[in-house]
Amino acid sequence: MLHPSISINSLCILAGSLKTRVDMIARLGAKAISPMLEEVEEIGANTAASLIRDATLDVATFTHRAFGYATAEEGRKQCARLNRSIDIAATIGAQSITLTTGGRDRLNWADAVERFAQEIQPSAEHARAAGVALCVEPTSHLYADASIAHRLSDLVAICRRAGIGLGIDLFACWFDSDIEGSIAAAVPLCHVVQVSDYVAGDRGLPCRAVPGDGMMPLDRLVSAIARAGYAGYFDLEIIGPRIDTEGVERALSRAAIWLGSVLDGESKGGD
């Protein structure tokens, strides 16, 4: 069995069905899965819930993708779509939903934050009633069409303004100049942490690597998150050519072992 705080995002395993992904994640010994909306919709929420439950997996988070809020009409449509995802998340037992804010089109950043906060409120209320946390994650600036949150400190400001939670995707923000302070500010709002690595010289997305294989100071960052009081799942989200070349199951196994060793060190008191 792996460290009990490790989950695996099904985005890592693109081949096969949800059952294939559930079986691999259970075989690897992870405690939880983070499925995507599309794969759950494909077989239905009740069937997906049974598959996950029969494998004795928790659902760390449920991936919804972008929200979108450019106009009031779009906001209403996106709330209806997100509310359906919230209902699905509740059915499969997800602790949270992970999404991006959507792009800002021609709005300046501050106006985009206000618009996003306003338009997502009906869904935020629906999520609270359903017992599911809404979590926005940071993204690379190359996904500016899908997000206004790139730096972790900006994400904290957005989520505080909207009254919702967040997820920390370390791949998107590890290089922030104020990352330590931003982690301290983010953890009280945080419901999931996504972990992968970056190898110097990789230029094209997706270019994630097995934790420990790259240049990200993951041991320090994961420790900072744990020491700030975070007690949720650390979700492995490793995708890209390096993972495909090695083989997904082998790469995930190595990733989980490496991450578990860091988390074990924290549980024993760190340094």
Side-chain angles (χ1 to χ4, degrees):
M1 293 295 293
L2 301 178
H3 191 283
S5 294
I6 292 176
S7 63
I8 295 176
N9 199 298
S10 65
L11 183 63
C12 303
I13 312 165
L14 293 179
S17 63
L18 178 59
K19 185 178 187 309
T20 301
R21 296 165 191 139
V22 166
D23 288 347
M24 182 184 293
I25 290 168
R27 184 166 64 246
L28 286 165
K31 174 71 173 174
I33 184 174
S34 296
M36 300 174 286
L37 173 61
E38 298 86 352
E39 63 187 337
V40 173
E41 286 185 322
E42 184 177 5
I43 62 173
N46 289 323
T47 300
S50 295
L51 278 176
I52 295 167
R53 183 174 58 249
D54 290 348
T56 66
L57 293 173
D58 291 340
V59 180
T61 195
F62 181 50
T63 303
H64 173 80
R65 303 192 193 281
F67 178 73
Y69 53 86
T71 66
E73 181 180 359
E74 182 180 5
R76 286 192 294 271
K77 290 179 179 178
Q78 291 295 320
C79 274
R81 174 173 167 265
L82 181 52
N83 287 349
R84 289 193 294 272
S85 289
I86 292 166
D87 293 339
I88 292 171
T91 298
I92 66 174
Q95 299 178 12
S96 65
I97 287 181
T98 296
L99 65 151
T100 60
T101 62
R104 57 175 162 146
D105 195 20
R106 295 184 178 276
L107 293 170
N108 66 43
W109 191 83
D111 288 344
V113 172
E114 290 301 312
R115 178 74 63 81
F116 170 75
Q118 176 182 342
E119 297 299 335
I120 205 170
Q121 282 312 300
S123 288
E125 294 173 7
H126 188 70
R128 283 190 286 270
V132 177
L134 284 189
C135 298
V136 175
E137 65 176 347
T139 69
S140 163
H141 69 281
L142 295 178
Y143 293 113
D145 60 319
S147 180
I148 58 172
H150 309 299
R151 289 170 49 82
L152 184 56
S153 58
D154 287 342
L155 178 66
V156 171
I158 292 166
C159 293
R160 284 176 174 168
R161 176 64 186 86
I164 59 177
L166 59 82
I168 302 174
D169 186 345
L170 289 171
F171 188 82
C173 61
W174 66 273
F175 44 77
D176 289 0
S177 61
D178 56 350
I179 186 62
E180 288 85 359
S182 296
I183 284 172
V187 162
L189 301 175
C190 186
H191 295 271
V192 67
V193 175
Q194 293 177 333
V195 183
S196 58
D197 210 339
Y198 169 72
V199 174
D202 283 353
R203 302 294 185 219
L205 298 173
C207 56
R208 301 190 180 208
V210 170
D213 285 1
M215 66 179 291
M216 291 171 59
L218 286 171
D219 50 353
R220 176 169 57 83
L221 296 177
V222 168
S223 295
I225 291 167
R227 292 173 185 177
Y230 177 73
Y233 281 110
F234 289 83
D235 192 47
L236 289 170
E237 189 179 76
I238 55 173
I239 53 175
R242 291 180 181 277
I243 309 307
D244 296 339
T245 298
E246 179 173 354
V248 172
E249 188 161 2
R250 174 178 167 79
L252 281 170
S253 178
R254 285 203 304 115
I257 290 169
W258 185 93
L259 179 57
S261 69
V262 174
L263 294 172
D264 280 335
E266 283 307 305
S267 66
K268 294 173 183 175
D271 296 332

